[in-house]
């Protein structure tokens, strides 16, 4: 049999439609999304072993350190377990559907997720660009810095609220009341879904780096950088959410 990427044709081939190199910037979130998709699609079923770490890391174009962080999340969520020994590896667990998934399905029933995520990105990228292009008053700049600091200082249980307030502050400072109102509505839908998935420390750390870069770009008047950081930030959230969607 022909070999591809260190594996023989056969079981590994079924993973090809899902496993692919991730884009720069959101490696953890996109890798997590891909492996969760493998599990939800049943491409690796309960009792089966995931490909070796080296193969998974190579196929997704991430470091093994990042991959191990992803596998730790999956272990903490009761989706996989690590086994030692000659026949060891990372195995998918048989898992009954959780109440969180039931609630997420209920909330999804009335939401067009793709439309919500795309509209959110349009509004957020636009707000970041407007703030950087037109500049902020001293008061506005201080409000943005204060909102950013609040996300840094927030305990885990309070983080999502402070994150929401930071994004709402940016929308408000764009100077468009219509944009602000639309963003508040779409953010409410987004939070309704995000509340059904776990808060992941690795993801929050990454988000904080993006928040800091975003605020810096806005305050420096670099509209292109502000839009790009915000676009990447929205894509990371979308990847994480899609990964946990039933």
């Amino acid at each position: 049999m022909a070999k591809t990427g260190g594996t023989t044709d056969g079981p590994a081939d079924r993973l090809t439609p899902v496993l692919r190199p991730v884009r720069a910037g959101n490696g953890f979130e996109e890798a997590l999304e891909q492996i969760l998709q493998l599990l939800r699609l049943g491409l690796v079923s309960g009792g089966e072993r995931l490909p070796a770490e080296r193969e998974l890391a190579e196929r997704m174009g991430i470091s093994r350190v990042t991959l191990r962080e992803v596998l730790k999340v999956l272990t903490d969520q009761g989706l996989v377990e690590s086994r030692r020994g000659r026949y060891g590896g990372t195995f998918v667990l048989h898992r009954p559907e959780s109440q969180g998934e039931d609630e997420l399905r209920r909330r999804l029933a009335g939401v067009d997720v793709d439309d919500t995520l795309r509209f959110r990105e349009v509004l957020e990228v636009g707000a970041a660009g407007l703030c950087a292009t037109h500049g902020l008053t001293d008061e506005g700049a201080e409000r943005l810095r204060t909102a950013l600091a609040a996300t840094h200082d927030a305990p885990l249980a309070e983080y999502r609220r402070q994150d929401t307030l930071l994004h709402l502050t940016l929308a408000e400072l764009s100077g468009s009341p219509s944009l602000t109102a639309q963003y508040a509505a779409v953010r409410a839908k987004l939070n309704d879904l995000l509340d059904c998935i776990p808060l992941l420390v690795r993801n929050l750390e990454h988000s904080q780096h993006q928040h800091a870069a975003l605020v810096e770009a806005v305050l420096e008047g670099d509209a292109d950088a502000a839009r790009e950081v915000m676009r990447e930030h929205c894509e990371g959230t979308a990847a994480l959410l899609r990964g946990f969607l039933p």
Side-chain angles (χ1 to χ4, degrees), residues 15 58 73 81 98 107 155 178 181 195 198 217 219 226-227 232:
L15 310 186
E58 287 178 352
V73 168
E81 70 174 5
S98 69
R107 296 186 186 194
S178 296
D195 284 344
L219 295 180
R227 284 190 289 261
E232 188 175 280

Side-chain angles (χ1 to χ4, degrees), residues 99-198:
Q99 291 183 350
E101 287 180 348
D102 285 339
E103 178 62 16
L104 185 53
R105 281 192 173 90
R106 186 188 69 78
R107 296 186 186 194
L108 282 171
V111 177
D112 185 329
V113 177
D114 285 336
D115 180 65
T116 298
L117 292 172
R118 287 170 183 159
F119 190 40
R120 181 257 180 134
E121 181 177 333
V122 168
L123 294 173
E124 294 250 42
V125 171
L130 285 171
C131 287
T133 298
H134 297 296
L136 302 179
T137 63
D138 290 343
E139 179 186 0
E142 185 57 30
R143 283 184 59 197
L144 192 58
R145 291 191 189 97
T146 299
L148 175 63
T151 64
H152 282 299
D153 297 336
L156 196 60
E158 180 72 3
Y159 180 83
R160 189 156 287 149
R161 188 173 80 89
Q162 295 301 334
D163 174 65
T164 298
L165 290 173
L166 171 61
H167 286 266
L168 282 171
T169 298
L170 190 70
E172 187 178 357
L173 292 174
S174 73
S176 171
S178 296
L179 186 155
T180 304
Q182 291 294 322
Y183 178 68
V186 79
R187 181 70 191 216
K189 288 183 181 179
L190 183 66
N191 281 2
D192 205 32
L193 300 178
L194 289 172
D195 284 344
C196 292
I197 70 174

Side-chain angles (χ1 to χ4, degrees), residues 8-10 16 19 57 61 77 83 88 91 103 109-110 117 121 147 164 168-169 193 206 230 233 246:
T8 57
D9 291 341
T16 300
L19 290 182
Q77 293 301 305
R83 300 177 190 170
F91 287 79
E103 178 62 16
L117 292 172
E121 181 177 333
T164 298
L168 282 171
T169 298
L193 300 178
H206 184 207
M230 183 61 89
H233 183 62

